[in-house]
Amino acid sequence: DSGVTQTPKHLITATGQRVTLRCSPRSGDLSVYWYQQSLDQGLQFLIHYYNGEERAKGNILERFSAQQFPDLHSELNLSSLELGDSALYFCASSVGASGGRTTDTQYFGPGTRLTVL
Amino acid sequence: GQNIDQPTEMTATEGAIVQINCTYQTSGFNGLFWYQQHAGEAPTFLSYNVLDGLEEKGRFSSFLSRSKGYSYLLLKELQMKDSASYLCAVSYSNYQLIWGAGTKLIIKP
């Protein structure tokens, strides 16, 4: 158990809908990262938040948005869902030393499996 | 660009040794991570290398050569449970890791 929690574990929805995925980082961690992993594909970095501020953006679609709240939990919002958005979405957290630079180990949550029908 | 290259798939025999290579661009390098990921599960941290040389952790070892932009993960005494994907990720001078596509390791009895 990494100490990172994600809810829900599974989500089934229809095209055009909007969903929110939630992540609680390990106690004390300031950095939260979101990743997308489609079937048999590599990890695609979406976005990194450090202590409430966006630090880096990867291949995140405009239909997707994220935020990190004062209690450091984070939410990833996916809207106008398409079939191709079906994937595992992982959240990871790290201590976030030095303002969130990536030399700290990232610990991954169990993921949310999103199925868009 | 900051491409990370690792083999797509490797096959090895139970009890044997396997070496998974990873090459990367050296400019701006801060450190290199190895993660293990079983199918449908979250990646789990294996090792972090920032200095040249070999780091040993039980059956797993990781090597780094900063000047050559090269790392490998060495798995000894392979067990069936080692069947997984192994991900190489590099920290450069920014706020995101650059991830390789992963090496799928198949262990045969």
Side-chain angles (χ1 to χ4, degrees):
Chain A
D1 184 356
S2 68
V4 180
T5 60
Q6 290 186 249
T7 56
K9 195 172 173 110
H10 300 278
L11 198 48
I12 301 174
T13 189
T15 54
Q17 294 299 302
R18 172 190 169 93
V19 296
T20 297
L21 313 184
R22 181 187 168 105
C23 168
S24 292
R26 296 185 319 155
S27 176
D29 282 1
L30 299 178
S31 273
V32 169
Y33 304 79
W34 285 98
Y35 293 92
Q36 179 194 55
Q37 189 172 42
S38 302
L39 191 62
D40 293 331
Q41 299 295 309
L43 280 176
Q44 296 298 317
F45 168 71
L46 296 178
I47 200 163
H48 168 199
Y49 274 87
Y50 169 76
N51 203 20
E53 293 187 9
E54 183 185 301
R55 270 290 186 260
K57 228 172 192 176
N59 300 320
I60 187 166
L61 301 171
E62 285 192 13
R63 302 183 284 110
F64 295 2
S65 65
Q67 54 183 331
Q68 185 180 29
F69 295 87
D71 68 353
L72 300 176
H73 91 271
S74 179
E75 293 180 356
L76 179 68
N77 300 296
L78 315 175
S79 62
S80 303
L81 284 167
E82 302 175 359
L83 296 177
D85 297 328
S86 295
L88 261 172
Y89 290 84
F90 290 107
C91 161
S93 75
S94 69
V95 168
S98 305
R101 292 193 182 272
T102 52
T103 48
D104 297 320
T105 300
Q106 293 182 26
Y107 294 93
F108 283 76
T112 293
R113 183 173 294 281
L114 174 66
T115 302
V116 182
L117 302 176
Chain B
Q2 296 166 329
N3 291 331
I4 310 295
D5 290 316
Q6 47 180 136
T8 303
E9 188 173 294
M10 299 182 70
T11 303
T13 305
E14 191 177 13
I17 299 174
V18 72
Q19 177 176 310
I20 302 174
N21 296 326
C22 171
T23 57
Y24 61 90
Q25 307 293 319
T26 59
S27 178
F29 174 84
N30 283 333
L32 186 145
F33 294 87
W34 284 98
Y35 281 79
Q36 180 192 60
Q37 186 180 26
H38 286 100
E41 298 183 10
T44 55
F45 169 73
L46 289 177
S47 66
Y48 175 60
N49 292 73
V50 63
L51 300 175
D52 286 351
L54 188 68
E55 298 264 350
E56 296 188 71
K57 269 189 192 180
R59 294 189 298 113
F60 291 11
S61 303
S62 57
F63 171 83
L64 179 70
S65 169
R66 293 178 64 117
S67 62
K68 294 183 179 175
Y70 169 68
S71 174
Y72 66 73
L73 182 68
L74 191 72
L75 291 72
K76 302 176 186 174
E77 301 169 15
L78 286 169
Q79 301 175 10
M80 298 303 292
K81 67 178 182 179
D82 297 330
S83 291
S85 287
Y86 291 86
L87 312 178
C88 171
V90 176
S91 170
Y92 288 100
S93 303
N94 52 25
Y95 298 101
Q96 67 181 84
L97 288 181
I98 305 300
W99 293 81
T103 298
K104 183 176 181 178
L105 178 63
I106 299 168
I107 309 295
K108 296 188 173 178

